């Protein structure tokens, strides 16, 4: 048997074995590498007798092609075997149920703040924020609240130091001061946020929420205040007609001051806003006191305006039919699941809160 035929038979036998890619590469090298068996046969070509050379060359080429084809096939076989093994191992079982997950709900107070902010933004108010920990000046003095005012009493206010310089803000009104000190008039802002008073019963919580409103410009009057509140209440309660009354009142930071009541009645055990002959107090307001404007260096001959402070929790209770204020802050999942709101992007595979 010629050398060439021997090489072929030997390697065909070898290639029948179960080989991996490394072993195949070794075989490739043994055959076609620089000193490989096939390559050496080609080198021999020159020394073959002339009459034999043609036959030798053609036989060598045929065997070379056969071996190369065989190698390529074997490599493909191994590669596809490896892929199949990998696929088998990493198979995804899409019949498995997905892991449970819990989607939160938006708290009614957060929902109310969002709604209030978007209603006021429609008529040009922007949103300001202030810190929960305030200084005595912004919370009282700058707002024309005298030292002997009952609101300053320990029974009403959470002070954070003995000197009574720092406190948990008792209302959102100090944001008026912060805003007016920061920028120049005109101002048209609302400031929603947490407020604190030493108070707790079915309708009062030590922490509650207010939204402050402030509109300062040239020639702003009580008519603008009334129009603004009328618009807001109709939008918030989603009704066309409301009954609203301004009751004279007193706040140190406004003159004149008023409290605003809206008309309601009870129908089938539920509060209906806008009808009936009962009155519900929902906010305090007035024309900003000149002393307040002077404290923030605004020229009272040029500028004036109105301010208001609304209790957010009260509005949310009325709109969403919640009757105990304390439930807002109990952090009870079942309550939140019932009264909370779905975020806009509800996942399609949502299966509810299963706690
Ligand atoms: N800050 C007042 C309070 O907490 C509410 C209030 C009344 C705010 C009149 C105002 C206002 O801006 O003008 O009772």
């Amino acid at each position: 048997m010629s050398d060439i035929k021997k090489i072929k038979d030997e390697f065909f036998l070898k290639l029948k074995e179960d080989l991996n890619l490394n072993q195949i590469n070794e075989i490739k090298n043994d055959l076609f590498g620089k000193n490989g068996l096939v390559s050496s046969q080609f080198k021999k070509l020159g020394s073959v007798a002339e009459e034999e050379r043609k036959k030798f060359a053609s036989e060598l080429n045929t065997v070379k092609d056969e071996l190369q084809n065989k190698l390529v096939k074997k490599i493909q076989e191994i590669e596809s075997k490896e892929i199949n093994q990998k696929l088998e191992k990493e198979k995804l079982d899409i019949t498995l149920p997905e892991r449970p997950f819990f989607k939160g709900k938006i708290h009614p107070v957060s929902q109310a703040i969002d709604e209030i902010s978007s209603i006021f933004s429609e008529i040009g108010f922007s949103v300001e924020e202030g810190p929960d920990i305030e200084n005595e000046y912004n919370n009282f003095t700058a707002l024309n609240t005298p030292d002997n005012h009952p609101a300053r009493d320990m029974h009403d206010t959470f002070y954070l130091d003995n000197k009574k310089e720092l406190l948990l803000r008792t209302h959102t009104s100090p944001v008026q001061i912060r805003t007016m000190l920061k920028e120049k008039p005109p101002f048209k802002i609302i400031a929603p946020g947490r407020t604190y008073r030493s108070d707790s019963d079915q309708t009062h919580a030590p922490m509650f929420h207010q939204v402050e409103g402030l509109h300062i410009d040239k020639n702003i009057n009580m008519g603008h205040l009334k129009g603004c509140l009328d618009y807001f209440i109709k939008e918030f309660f989603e009704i066309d007609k409301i009954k609203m009354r301004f009751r004279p009142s007193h706040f140190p930071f406004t003159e004149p001051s008023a409290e605003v009541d809206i008309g309601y009645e009870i129908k089938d055990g539920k509060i209906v806003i806008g009808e009936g002959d009962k009155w519900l107090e929902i906010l305090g307001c007035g024309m900003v006191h000149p002393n307040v404007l002077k404290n923030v260096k605004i020229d009272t001959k040029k500028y004036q305006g109105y301010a208001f402070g609304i209790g957010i929790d009260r509005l949310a209770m009325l709109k969403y039919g919640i009757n105990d204020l304390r439930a807002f802050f109990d952090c009870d999942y079942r309550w939140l699941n019932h009264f909370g709101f779905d975020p806009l992007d509800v996942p399609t595979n949502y299966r509810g809160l299963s706690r």
Side-chain angles (χ1 to χ4, degrees):
M1 197 173 15
S2 73
D3 280 355
I4 303 174
K5 211 139 183 304
K6 240 167 82 192
I7 296 172
K8 178 185 149 183
D9 289 348
E10 190 187 321
F11 279 90
F12 264 46
L13 254 181
K14 256 197 191 171
L15 288 172
K16 278 203 178 119
E17 289 167 23
D18 200 7
L19 304 167
N20 62 32
L21 275 179
N22 281 343
Q23 290 165 316
I24 289 279
N25 279 330
E26 267 172 35
I27 294 178
K28 218 166 133 187
N29 204 37
D30 290 347
L31 289 170
F32 302 106
K34 213 167 159 213
N35 296 313
L37 290 168
V38 175
S39 318
S40 334
Q41 291 297 321
F42 273 102
K43 280 181 198 159
K44 253 196 199 165
L45 212 59
S47 58
V48 176
E50 210 179 323
E51 54 291 4
E52 292 278 312
R53 197 179 293 153
K54 209 172 160 194
K55 196 172 152 244
F56 182 86
S58 113
E59 204 186 332
L60 186 56
N61 271 322
T62 316
V63 170
K64 185 197 86 179
D65 288 347
E66 275 179 299
L67 282 169
Q68 272 181 341
N69 287 341
K70 193 84 187 167
L71 277 171
V72 168
K73 246 201 190 147
K74 193 74 188 176
I75 290 172
Q76 283 173 345
E77 241 171 57
I78 296 172
E79 279 177 349
S80 69
K81 201 168 134 196
E82 278 181 2
I83 288 174
N84 283 337
Q85 276 173 349
K86 218 171 169 191
L87 280 176
E88 191 61 33
K89 250 202 270 160
E90 294 173 6
K91 205 160 100 185
L92 263 187
D93 183 356
I94 54 166
T95 62
L96 267 180
E98 91 272 35
R99 289 193 195 94
F101 70 97
F102 309 108
K103 186 170 71 74
K105 291 263 187 158
I106 293 181
H107 194 284
V109 172
S110 304
Q111 175 75 15
I113 290 177
D114 282 354
E115 288 180 23
I116 291 169
S117 304
S118 84
I119 292 168
F120 278 109
S121 76
E122 289 284 323
I123 50 168
F125 284 81
S126 57
V127 178
E128 285 289 334
E129 277 183 342
D132 290 13
I133 295 178
E134 247 317 347
N135 58 50
E136 172 278 330
Y137 181 77
N138 288 342
N139 197 85
F140 293 128
T141 310
L143 286 162
N144 198 37
T145 306
D147 268 347
N148 62 358
H149 195 279
R152 287 189 176 243
D153 200 277
M154 294 278 260
H155 291 293
D156 223 32
T157 302
F158 293 113
Y159 287 97
L160 300 176
D161 59 353
N162 289 337
K163 286 200 222 149
K164 292 186 168 182
E165 277 168 2
L166 283 179
L167 45 84
L168 292 177
R169 67 178 178 188
T170 59
H171 49 180
T172 42
S173 305
V175 187
Q176 290 187 31
I177 303 300
R178 286 178 173 272
T179 308
M180 291 192 286
L181 284 174
K182 201 170 61 177
E183 280 151 41
K184 296 232 155 344
F187 299 103
K188 199 172 182 187
I189 59 121
I190 57 160
R194 283 182 292 266
T195 46
Y196 305 82
R197 276 179 216 173
S198 184
D199 226 352
S200 185
D201 59 37
Q202 195 174 343
T203 51
H204 296 91
M207 186 206 66
F208 55 104
H209 298 82
Q210 287 189 337
V211 55
E212 193 74 13
L214 176 72
H215 187 184
I216 303 285
D217 208 335
K218 294 164 185 163
N219 307 319
I220 294 293
N221 59 46
M222 288 282 280
H224 295 111
L225 169 62
K226 204 169 173 192
C228 166
L229 294 176
D230 180 85
Y231 157 83
F232 166 69
I233 292 160
K234 282 181 189 158
E235 287 293 312
F236 185 78
F237 288 106
E238 296 167 37
I239 45 178
D240 294 329
K241 263 204 256 157
I242 50 157
K243 276 168 71 180
M244 181 169 82
R245 76 176 179 199
F246 277 56
R247 224 171 353 91
S249 183
H250 170 77
F251 299 103
F253 32 89
T254 42
E255 181 57 41
S257 303
E259 278 172 311
V260 171
D261 303 331
I262 50 173
Y264 77 98
E265 63 178 348
I266 308 259
K267 252 192 197 163
D268 304 325
K270 281 194 179 150
I271 290 188
V272 182
I273 305 282
E275 289 163 42
D277 52 9
K278 293 190 170 64
W279 294 99
L280 200 68
E281 181 200 321
I282 58 158
L283 62 94
C285 61
M287 297 304 289
V288 177
H289 197 293
N291 286 351
V292 175
L293 296 177
K294 279 176 199 150
N295 287 339
V296 293
K297 315 248 172 331
I298 287 180
D299 184 349
T300 51
K301 290 204 184 72
K302 268 199 199 146
Y303 289 100
Q304 62 180 34
Y306 61 81
F308 55 83
I310 310 176
I312 294 178
D313 313 271
R314 178 59 124 20
L315 286 193
M317 286 169 77
L318 286 172
K319 180 162 177 177
Y320 312 132
I322 299 165
N323 52 27
D324 189 345
L325 174 75
R326 288 168 299 191
F328 273 143
F329 312 119
D330 277 349
C331 301
D332 182 337
Y333 267 120
R334 288 160 307 170
W335 182 88
L336 192 56
N337 200 28
H338 180 74
F339 286 107
F341 291 80
D342 275 326
L344 283 180
D345 55 338
V346 184
T348 46
N349 54 350
Y350 173 57
R351 288 191 293 146
L353 200 69
S354 48
R355 277 181 209 205

